[in-house]
């Protein structure tokens, strides 16, 4: 029965540092001796100039005032009336449209940005034509 058991001790040791920096021996020796070394910047290395700065400058230079679109009051009321005429709660309509109930609430309270596909789905589900601006 004891022939299958291994009673030898297990010894765990930390390994020494591994060479993961990718430096060759000449570069490492030069850095240790504080000798002068030349560096070459690779194309696009260590820079965050992907286009975000350009986009930010374009946004700052834009003098036009943009207004976010929202659904109209008439749309919100029409949606609410059509939904209640069908006897649906916001949650029920959301399940039929495969969206979150907060989306329906946002449309009815004029907080949402109009999405034509969703509005078309609402019109088909409720069987009414909803007003659009």
């Amino acid at each position: 029965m004891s022939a299958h058991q291994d009673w030898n001790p297990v010894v765990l040791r930390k390994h020494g540092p591994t060479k993961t920096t990718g430096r060759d021996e000449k570069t490492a020796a030069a850095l240790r001796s504080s000798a002068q070394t030349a560096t070459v910047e690779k194309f696009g290395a260590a820079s965050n100039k992907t286009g975000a700065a350009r986009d930010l400058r374009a946004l700052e230079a834009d003098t036009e005032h943009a207004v976010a679109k929202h659904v109209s009051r008439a749309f919100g009321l029409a949606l609410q009336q059509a939904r209640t005429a069908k006897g649906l709660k916001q949650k029920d309509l959301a399940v039929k449209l495969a969206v979150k109930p907060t989306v329906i609430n946002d449309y009815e309270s004029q907080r949402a940005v109009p999405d034509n596909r969703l509005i078309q789905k609402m019109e088909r589900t409720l069987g009414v034509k909803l007003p659009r601006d």
Side-chain angles (χ1 to χ4, degrees), residues 89-107 112 118 121-122:
K89 295 180 182 177
Q90 287 181 348
K91 184 177 180 181
D92 299 333
L93 181 59
V95 169
K96 286 186 176 209
L97 297 173
V99 296
K100 293 181 179 179
T102 56
V103 173
I104 304 301
N105 187 358
D106 290 344
Y107 272 96
L118 183 58
K121 247 175 143 175
M122 288 177 186

Side-chain angles (χ1 to χ4, degrees), residues 3-21:
H4 297 292
Q5 294 182 357
D6 185 15
W7 293 101
N8 295 329
V10 177
V11 179
L12 302 175
R13 293 187 184 102
K14 275 189 168 180
H15 294 288
T18 58
K19 186 176 180 180
T20 59
T21 59

Side-chain angles (χ1 to χ4, degrees), residues 42-133:
K42 294 183 179 180
F43 178 74
S47 69
N48 194 13
K49 297 177 184 173
T50 57
R54 181 187 59 228
D55 294 341
L56 185 58
R57 281 192 302 268
L59 182 62
E60 288 175 352
D62 188 17
T63 58
E64 193 175 309
H65 297 289
V67 178
K69 294 182 180 180
H70 295 285
V71 293
S72 66
R73 176 84 177 133
F75 177 85
L77 287 175
L79 176 61
Q80 187 177 16
Q81 289 171 355
R83 178 182 56 80
T84 54
K86 283 271 193 174
L88 297 172
K89 295 180 182 177
Q90 287 181 348
K91 184 177 180 181
D92 299 333
L93 181 59
V95 169
K96 286 186 176 209
L97 297 173
V99 296
K100 293 181 179 179
T102 56
V103 173
I104 304 301
N105 187 358
D106 290 344
Y107 272 96
E108 288 184 1
S109 59
Q110 299 88 41
R111 286 190 305 253
V113 177
D115 179 16
N116 285 331
R117 286 185 185 167
L118 183 58
I119 293 173
Q120 289 172 352
K121 247 175 143 175
M122 288 177 186
E123 290 175 342
R124 282 193 305 265
T125 303
L126 297 172
V128 296
K129 182 76 174 154
L130 298 171
R132 297 184 194 197
D133 291 333

